[in-house]
């Protein structure tokens, strides 16, 4: 479990596809902070995707490797990563830590595209295009995770939504580096998915019947 509060902007060291494209991948990253107390089997969110540490230090101090399964490659933009690319990193939430963002699973629901970016005096207004299957779970003033960053939805339509990036977000995450047409990983608030499922399976008795 994560919070969507990025701890460190790391760097992609390498990405390999042992069995060919569109299968699985081995991702190697550099993140001195998130690896400072990491061990084999720990969870680290990479651009919002929960990955398991499989090795530490294989590419030098402060590096770690993780396997990326086909499902993750299909659902996310991780396969587009290249060496040198900057990524948002967050260690799993400790039980005694403050929940500064919102509950983030690291289970990406889909990939969005930066449609528009409008700079303000100290902030940016960003429009993210997405599929209706993702947008239907969003609500104005609700939470969304964009490439691992917990953000508040400012507006939402059937195929897009808006967010405002404050100076800290611009400075401390990769969102300050992204431009139009760049891809981002999206995770909706898991509560909305549970509510939808419960409502879908809710048994409504017929008129005159009993529940």
């Amino acid at each position: 479990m994560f919070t969507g509060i990025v701890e460190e902007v790391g760097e992609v060291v390498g990405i390999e596809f042992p069995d060919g494209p569109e299968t699985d991948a081995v991702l190697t990253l550099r993140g001195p902070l998130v690896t400072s107390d990491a061990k084999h089997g720990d969870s680290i969110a990479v651009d919002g995707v929960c990955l398991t540490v499989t090795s530490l230090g294989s590419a030098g101090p402060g590096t770690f490797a993780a396997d990326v399964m086909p499902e993750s490659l299909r659902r996310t933009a991780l396969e587009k990563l290249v060496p040198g690319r900057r990524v948002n990193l967050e260690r799993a939430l400790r039980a005694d830590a403050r929940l500064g963002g919102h509950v983030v699973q690291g289970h990406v629901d889909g990939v969005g595209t930066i449609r528009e970016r409008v700079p303000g005096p100290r902030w940016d207004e960003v429009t993210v295009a997405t599929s209706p299957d993702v947008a239907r779970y969003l609500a104005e003033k609700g939470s969304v995770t964009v490439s691992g960053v917990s953000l508040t939805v400012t507006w939402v339509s059937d195929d897009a939504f808006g967010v405002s990036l404050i100076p800290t977000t611009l400075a401390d995450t990769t969102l300050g580096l992204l431009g139009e047409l760049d891809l981002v990983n999206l995770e909706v608030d898991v509560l909305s998915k549970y509510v939808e499922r419960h409502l879908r399976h809710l048994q409504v008795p017929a008129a005159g019947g009993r529940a």
Side-chain angles (χ1 to χ4, degrees):
M1 203 69 69
F2 306 92
T3 68
I5 304 300
V6 172
E7 294 186 282
E8 177 179 25
V9 174
E11 180 184 1
V12 176
V13 176
I15 182 168
E16 300 177 356
F17 299 91
D19 299 311
E22 300 181 358
T23 56
D24 63 324
V26 177
L27 189 59
T28 304
L29 305 112
R30 180 174 290 106
L33 175 60
V34 298
T35 58
S36 62
D37 61 352
K39 60 184 183 298
H40 184 276
D42 280 355
S43 295
I44 295 177
V46 178
D47 270 359
V49 184
C50 178
L51 298 179
T52 300
V53 175
T54 57
S55 68
L56 289 161
S58 60
T63 64
F64 70 98
D67 292 326
V68 186
M69 294 295 96
E71 170 71 2
S72 296
L73 292 176
R74 284 192 295 268
R75 293 261 189 173
T76 75
L78 290 187
E79 69 175 349
K80 304 297 185 183
L81 294 178
V82 295
R85 177 70 179 266
R86 309 290 281 173
V87 289
N88 296 317
L89 301 176
E90 181 191 354
R91 290 170 290 188
L93 175 67
R94 289 169 52 104
D96 61 351
R98 290 186 177 91
L99 185 60
H102 71 284
V103 175
V104 176
Q105 294 182 296
H107 301 162
V108 170
D109 295 295
V111 176
T113 305
I114 303 296
R115 177 184 291 175
E116 185 180 23
R117 188 171 194 134
V118 180
R122 296 191 307 116
W123 66 88
D124 283 3
E125 301 287 348
V126 177
T127 297
V128 181
T130 186
S131 69
D133 287 341
V134 172
R136 72 183 187 186
Y137 294 110
L138 302 178
E140 185 175 327
K141 304 307 177 185
S143 297
V144 65
T145 310
V146 179
S147 287
V149 184
S150 174
L151 298 172
T152 299
V153 177
T154 57
W155 60 268
V156 62
S157 69
D158 290 338
D159 62 356
F161 65 93
V163 291
S164 296
L165 306 183
I166 63 174
T168 297
T169 302
L170 294 172
D172 295 346
T173 77
T174 64
L175 299 189
L177 306 173
L178 299 182
E180 292 183 9
L181 301 183
D182 279 335
L183 302 179
V184 288
N185 295 318
L186 303 175
E187 180 186 337
V188 303
D189 190 336
V190 66
L191 293 178
S192 63
K193 290 188 286 187
Y194 279 122
V195 169
E196 181 192 58
R197 180 169 177 80
H198 287 317
L199 290 176
R200 185 188 301 142
H201 294 280
L202 184 65
Q203 295 293 326
V204 180
R210 292 183 298 174

